[in-house]
Amino acid sequence: ILAFAITLTFYPVVRGYYLGQIQVWIDLLIALVVWSWLENRRTTAGVFISIICVIKPTLALVVVWGAFRRQWDFIKGFAIPMSGFAVVSLAAFGWENHTNYLSVLSYISQQGEIFHPNQSMNGLLHRLMGNGNSIEWERNVLMAYNPWVHGGTVVSTVALMFAGLFAPRSIGRSTGPIELAIIIVCATLASPTVWTHHYGVMLPLFAVALPCVLSLEESARKRCL
């Protein structure tokens, strides 16, 4: 009951629901990924990630991280259902629609959005450069190309991907949930357009981080005493 109440007070989730955004379902699936990881059900976590990537392919960076960490159960859980999804999608939409998605991502990263709910490096750089009206929403309008904004977006994206993939390993042999949380955050931030409701994925990550922070505070208090 407490978790449900906290969810209703978390603005990105509530905002996503208000907008009718499918992001709310991604938030739920991320919570299931984290729960599965905590329960050491890595294959199940991979299945949930595959469903997420059908909706939002940019979060496939989490799968790349899993391969880097040699979490083969996680990769297997992703690969098996994704193979089925891929066959159905290719049959329904064809190969060209899938390859064109990369062109769409490239175009968005070059142009971006200045509207203030775009809480990404791209949006921040556009607002710093004063490239337009950041207060009012303009439908079907992307910003004029700016090489500084584009360059800054690319650099930040590469830096975030590098940070997520090569973050310090947990103590011991197992890949900890904090590492999973870091890569999810980095995969979210690396996108050129990150609307406020996209940060709904942070709620279960805060839940993961809280006991770690409390334990650090406890150990710090002991050192002081």
Side-chain angles (χ1 to χ4, degrees), residues 59-128:
L59 284 176
L61 183 63
V62 180
V63 182
V64 177
W65 166 85
F68 271 52
R69 292 294 192 268
R70 299 182 180 181
Q71 298 295 312
W72 304 125
D73 287 341
F74 177 66
I75 298 301
K76 179 178 67 175
F78 167 82
I80 294 175
M82 181 53 71
S83 299
F85 292 142
V87 169
V88 172
S89 184
L90 285 169
F93 303 108
W95 180 259
E96 186 177 359
N97 275 326
H98 291 76
T99 55
N100 284 345
Y101 181 74
L102 298 175
S103 300
V104 171
L105 289 179
S106 176
Y107 179 77
I108 293 174
S109 69
Q110 292 180 37
Q111 309 300 123
E113 292 270 9
I114 195 173
F115 190 44
H116 68 89
N118 178 20
Q119 295 295 310
S120 67
M121 181 57 71
N122 179 279
L124 175 62
L125 290 173
H126 271 302
R127 290 188 288 274
L128 286 174

Side-chain angles (χ1 to χ4, degrees), residues 42-53:
R42 305 295 164 86
T43 303
T44 305
V47 172
F48 288 132
I49 280 289
S50 71
I51 300 172
I52 290 172
C53 289

Side-chain angles (χ1 to χ4, degrees), residues 5-223:
I6 290 173
T7 302
L8 293 180
T9 66
F10 194 63
Y11 178 74
V13 173
V14 176
R15 181 64 178 171
Y17 178 78
Y18 170 77
L19 294 172
Q21 266 282 338
I22 198 171
Q23 178 65 38
V24 176
W25 289 104
I26 295 176
D27 299 340
L28 173 61
L29 289 166
I30 287 291
L32 292 173
V33 169
V34 172
W35 171 77
S36 300
W37 201 274
L38 289 170
E39 293 293 320
N40 203 30
R41 300 178 180 180
R42 305 295 164 86
T43 303
T44 305
V47 172
F48 288 132
I49 280 289
S50 71
I51 300 172
I52 290 172
C53 289
V54 170
I55 304 170
K56 194 170 185 177
T58 53
L59 284 176
L61 183 63
V62 180
V63 182
V64 177
W65 166 85
F68 271 52
R69 292 294 192 268
R70 299 182 180 181
Q71 298 295 312
W72 304 125
D73 287 341
F74 177 66
I75 298 301
K76 179 178 67 175
F78 167 82
I80 294 175
M82 181 53 71
S83 299
F85 292 142
V87 169
V88 172
S89 184
L90 285 169
F93 303 108
W95 180 259
E96 186 177 359
N97 275 326
H98 291 76
T99 55
N100 284 345
Y101 181 74
L102 298 175
S103 300
V104 171
L105 289 179
S106 176
Y107 179 77
I108 293 174
S109 69
Q110 292 180 37
Q111 309 300 123
E113 292 270 9
I114 195 173
F115 190 44
H116 68 89
N118 178 20
Q119 295 295 310
S120 67
M121 181 57 71
N122 179 279
L124 175 62
L125 290 173
H126 271 302
R127 290 188 288 274
L128 286 174
M129 298 291 291
N131 287 339
N133 182 4
S134 64
I135 304 300
E136 298 179 1
W137 165 251
E138 297 182 55
R139 184 183 297 273
N140 300 324
V141 175
L142 291 176
M143 305 310 302
Y145 178 76
N146 184 297
W148 294 104
V149 174
H150 183 210
T153 301
V154 172
V155 169
S156 67
T157 296
V158 172
L160 285 163
M161 292 173 63
F162 186 88
L165 292 174
F166 301 102
R169 297 296 303 272
S170 299
I171 298 174
R173 294 184 177 180
S174 63
T175 300
I178 291 297
E179 291 182 55
L180 175 65
I182 289 172
I183 190 60
I184 292 173
V185 171
C186 289
T188 301
L189 288 172
S191 176
T193 304
V194 189
W195 299 113
T196 307
H197 52 270
H198 291 161
Y199 288 97
V201 299
M202 296 297 298
L203 185 58
L205 306 186
F206 286 144
V208 168
L210 179 60
C212 299
V213 173
L214 294 177
S215 65
L216 287 173
E217 290 183 351
E218 182 180 354
S219 62
R221 285 195 297 268
K222 289 180 179 177
R223 286 197 301 271

